[in-house]
């Protein structure tokens, strides 16, 4: 693979760093799912710690809308190489 192609590929990758709190979520999981697929395929998850915090970190191939799923609910997010997304779940 040429250096030019590697540079283009690395520029299109979208890093995500989602930190959140869910006060009533200790021991439960939060999930990230691809909103653009019919099945909303999950691609990342995190366990909510005893103090109610969770973190999801990774990389996507391009900017895209995703779903954050928690306790039978979902919230729309858009991943576009933000330094950090902060989420607070109150339920």
């Amino acid at each position: 693979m040429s250096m030019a192609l590697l540079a283009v590929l690395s520029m299109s990758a979208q890093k995500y760093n989602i930190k959140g709190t869910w006060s009533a979520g200790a021991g439960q999981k939060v999930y990230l799912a691809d909103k653009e697929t019919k099945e909303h395929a999950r691609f990342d998850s995190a366990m909510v710690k005893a103090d109610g915090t969770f973190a999801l970190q990774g990389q996507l191939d391009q900017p895209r809308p995703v779903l954050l799923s928690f306790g039978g609910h979902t919230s729309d997010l858009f991943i576009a190489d933000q330094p950090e997304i902060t989420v607070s779940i109150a339920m």
Side-chain angles (χ1 to χ4, degrees):
M1 203 179 279
S2 74
M3 291 299 280
L5 182 55
L6 283 173
V8 170
L9 288 175
S10 66
M11 284 197 288
S12 65
Q14 303 299 303
K15 294 179 182 177
Y16 62 89
N17 182 16
I18 301 169
K19 293 186 178 182
T21 58
W22 181 8
S23 58
Q28 298 190 57
K29 277 196 167 186
V30 295
Y31 300 94
L32 274 184
D34 187 345
K35 187 174 180 180
E36 295 181 333
T37 62
K38 192 182 257 187
E39 307 81 31
H40 299 297
R42 294 176 178 170
F43 61 87
D44 200 356
S45 65
M47 184 72 71
V48 180
K49 297 177 185 176
D51 66 358
T53 61
F54 62 90
L56 298 152
Q57 295 179 331
Q59 187 169 305
L60 300 175
D61 59 349
Q62 63 185 7
R64 73 172 65 178
V66 298
L67 294 172
L68 179 68
S69 302
F70 50 91
H73 301 278
T74 60
S75 182
D76 293 314
L77 298 174
F78 189 81
I79 304 293
D81 212 16
Q82 300 93 329
E84 185 172 287
I85 298 172
T86 304
V87 176
S88 181
I89 302 169
M91 37 177 280

